[in-house]
Amino acid sequence: MGYQFAAIGLGPILLVQGIYVRRVTPRLPEPTGVRCGIKGAGKSLRLLVVGDSAAAGVGADSQSSALSGQLASALAPHFHVSWRLIARTGHRVQDVLNHIESTRREPFDVAVVSVGVNDVTGGTALKKWQDLLGHLCDLLKLKFGIRHVFLSSVPPMHAFPALPTPLRWYLGKRAASLNRAMSDLTKRREDCEFVQPAFPLTKEYIAADGFHPSPAAYSTWAEQMATVIKQKWQ
């Protein structure tokens, strides 16, 4: 937690850099395309993807090249996949909870959750973050009958090209702290699993805004999520 003390002295710089980044970073739209569908053959798998702008596929041109579309395609050779996406740009974990609360009931088997970047930038406290994640897992089970929740890690924000230093350093430390809290939560629950995808930190894996995944990154992310889902569901 030493970075928090360092951040006190850097506060004015971090504030100015945060304002600057918001002003100059391009605002990419959520991609077009269907947000539900059926693919593949074999054993039934009902898949729900929920979360923030990364879950919504910002950085891709269409949902077919975003996380949900590529994940459904990666699972289709092994399962008869019925999938749905519930995600919105700017959502923190509390917003995701509210969104799920207002969504109609529908049965699913597994859920993939992508959330955290906005909690990093918005300053969600660690204890609150972990508690809300637990509530989200409970709600997914209660409302949709989810049997297993896969919590995808907060991305390595220290590597985001859109962020200047020291803001990049600070947000990277915050992201790592949220990931530790997420991992600790899953160690206490058999119905949740922490998944930390590995991305090459190169230009082709970053969208034009320097902040979101590119289609290549979504492909890598989807393949790694498909692997852990197959291992659990088979």
Side-chain angles (χ1 to χ4, degrees):
M1 295 295 179
Y3 74 92
Q4 294 179 332
F5 296 103
I8 294 173
L10 293 171
I13 298 174
L14 299 176
L15 178 62
V16 170
Q17 288 187 335
I19 295 171
Y20 172 78
V21 168
R22 288 185 177 90
R23 285 181 177 175
V24 303
T25 301
R27 293 182 179 272
L28 301 181
E30 295 180 7
T32 59
V34 297
R35 294 194 169 209
C36 61
I38 298 174
K39 278 191 173 186
K43 182 180 179 180
S44 174
L45 175 64
R46 297 168 298 184
L47 169 69
L48 179 64
V49 179
V50 302
D52 53 16
S53 58
V58 171
D61 294 329
S62 69
Q63 289 296 340
S64 61
S65 60
L67 175 63
S68 60
Q70 297 210 57
L71 179 54
S73 295
L75 291 167
H78 311 278
F79 303 98
H80 179 256
V81 185
S82 174
W83 64 275
R84 183 180 178 192
L85 170 65
I86 303 173
R88 193 168 296 162
T89 297
H91 272 189
R92 304 183 194 184
V93 63
Q94 180 65 68
D95 301 312
V96 177
L97 271 164
N98 296 342
H99 198 173
I100 295 299
E101 286 277 15
S102 63
T103 301
R104 62 179 172 83
R105 291 180 182 272
E106 185 179 349
F108 290 97
D109 300 307
V110 299
V112 171
V113 176
S114 167
V115 69
V117 168
N118 299 302
D119 291 278
V120 170
T121 59
T124 302
L126 279 179
K127 181 64 167 61
K128 182 178 180 181
W129 157 256
Q130 191 177 67
D131 289 345
L132 289 173
L133 277 178
H135 295 331
L136 178 58
C137 292
D138 292 337
L139 180 60
L140 289 169
K141 292 179 62 180
L142 178 65
K143 187 154 192 176
F144 300 118
I146 297 291
R147 294 171 60 183
H148 204 78
V149 179
F150 296 91
L151 297 172
S152 190
S153 62
V154 184
M157 296 183 71
H158 67 276
F160 284 7
L163 299 175
T165 302
L167 181 63
R168 182 190 299 187
W169 166 82
Y170 172 68
L171 295 182
K173 292 292 187 181
R174 280 271 302 153
S177 293
L178 265 61
N179 277 335
R180 286 192 293 271
M182 185 188 295
S183 178
D184 289 344
L185 172 70
T186 62
K187 290 174 183 176
R188 303 195 300 268
R189 300 183 60 137
E190 294 184 355
D191 57 346
C192 298
E193 185 168 343
F194 176 66
V195 183
Q196 193 160 22
F199 297 95
L201 302 178
T202 56
K203 185 177 180 180
E204 66 178 302
Y205 286 84
I206 304 293
D209 63 355
F211 203 81
H212 286 92
S214 70
Y218 282 124
S219 177
T220 299
W221 187 4
E223 289 291 342
Q224 293 182 36
M225 292 302 304
T227 296
V228 296
I229 291 172
K230 285 186 292 184
Q231 291 172 347
K232 180 65 67 173
W233 201 244
Q234 290 177 337

